Amino acid sequence: MIEPNTIQHFLSPSGIRLTAADTTEAVRTACRIHHMRPLSASVLGKAMTAAAILANDFKNHEGVSLKMLTDGPSGPVYADAYEGRYLRGYTEHPEAGAACPDDEKGVITGAGQLIVTRYSLLRQPYTSAVNLWPGDVSDVISAYLNLSEQVLSAVRLEVLFDGKGKVVHAGGIMAQLMPEGDREKMASLFRKTEEWQLFHPEKSKDPGQAEFESLWKKEFIPLYQSPVSFRCTCSLEHIRHNLSLLPAQEKESLLKDSSIEIVCHYCGRKYEISRETLNQWFHEQRKGDVS
Ligand SMILES: [Zn+2]
């Protein structure tokens, strides 16, 4: 239904904006990189999809960083969407989760905070936060939009696994009422979002999916579509910048070994940096600071 590995933006004549994403390959890539068990894969998959659909100002290249700081088993979850088409993410406890994927529904079991930062060509980045409570990531994101951004929204996120714990489908939708939109139409269309199935593991469709498909075709006009994939923004330049922000004492301690290794949390890429390179970086920084 949702085109595989794409993000699609729609608008209805009744003033409802709809963003739909199929993030299956991006979530599979994250699972492979981080060796994730189903619980953490489900939570991360939903968080990555949420970042993708929250970044819906595609005209201004909006990016979204999402942090769910929870004390639940998967630990803090980080997901970024940028350039309207790239996703990345990780959890601090990828090993969390039972062997049986049937139990794993992408539910945050701990309390904490959801922190969302939006980046766009139009304005300075801005960050807002809401308290998290135990519940499905879909509900957490809906509550964030309704409370913090004060936009009437409905969000549905799904990650489906096969019997071996491999991700079969990942994706989601977000409907938002625009300022001049028809509130009653929004309520009637999206009252039962939690009953919809965006993907179905079998060929046969269930009533929820049929309802979703007919709604899609009848009510919404496609605006824009883009492919979605996993990609990380880490680079030696970023690392150099981050190291330049360290206090002098910590820089000194980095120079004790012949080289240091830095591993990117998001993509697992390893960077080995020799003492000579570090020395040169810090030296050039001191020169830059003086001039
Ligand atoms: Zn990386």
Side-chain angles (χ1 to χ4, degrees), residues 189-286:
L189 290 178
F190 296 99
R191 197 177 53 243
K192 294 192 294 179
T193 319
E194 71 282 359
E195 292 174 15
W196 290 357
Q197 274 207 281
L198 305 183
F199 307 104
H200 203 279
E202 311 297 333
K203 286 276 180 230
S204 64
K205 291 172 183 171
D206 74 349
Q209 192 185 26
E211 187 183 337
F212 176 52
E213 286 196 20
S214 71
L215 163 84
W216 193 284
K217 285 174 188 148
K218 258 195 283 176
E219 292 287 336
F220 289 91
I221 301 156
L223 292 181
Y224 181 76
Q225 178 173 328
S226 166
V228 166
S229 58
F230 187 100
R231 185 187 280 194
C232 191
T233 52
C234 68
S235 69
L236 209 52
E237 244 343 276
H238 278 160
I239 291 170
R240 178 179 177 159
H241 173 73
N242 289 338
L243 292 177
S244 75
L245 304 175
L246 291 175
Q249 209 176 356
E250 282 186 46
K251 285 180 184 163
E252 279 305 312
S253 78
L254 289 180
L255 293 168
K256 281 181 189 153
D257 296 316
S258 61
S259 69
I260 59 166
E261 185 183 87
I262 292 176
V263 181
C264 174
H265 289 301
Y266 285 94
C267 70
R269 188 171 163 187
K270 286 181 186 160
Y271 294 86
E272 191 171 328
I273 304 156
S274 69
R275 186 195 284 149
E276 290 70 35
T277 304
L278 275 181
N279 249 327
Q280 191 192 338
W281 286 357
F282 295 154
H283 181 68
E284 285 172 8
Q285 188 194 356
R286 281 195 297 272

Side-chain angles (χ1 to χ4, degrees), residues 63-168:
V64 165
S65 269
L66 198 147
K67 285 186 218 170
M68 291 193 290
L69 305 177
T70 104
D71 54 6
S74 57
V77 180
Y78 303 87
D80 296 340
Y82 57 100
E83 292 180 30
R85 61 177 59 202
Y86 300 124
L87 297 178
R88 64 176 193 170
Y90 73 98
T91 65
E92 284 193 8
H93 298 297
E95 74 288 357
C100 172
D102 293 341
D103 298 338
E104 317 309 347
K105 305 289 184 198
V107 167
I108 301 275
T109 50
Q113 261 206 323
L114 167 69
I115 300 166
V116 178
T117 304
R118 289 183 179 274
Y119 308 83
S120 131
L121 294 178
L122 271 193
R123 52 189 162 194
Q124 293 291 314
Y126 75 96
T127 296
S128 46
V130 290
N131 287 331
L132 276 179
W133 64 95
D136 189 281
V137 179
S138 308
D139 301 332
V140 168
I141 300 294
S142 296
Y144 162 79
L145 289 165
N146 291 322
L147 292 172
S148 181
E149 301 199 358
Q150 305 206 324
V151 180
L152 187 61
S153 308
V155 176
R156 168 87 182 153
L157 305 165
E158 268 184 26
V159 179
L160 294 181
F161 297 91
D162 66 11
K164 294 178 185 148
K166 188 178 173 224
V167 173
V168 182

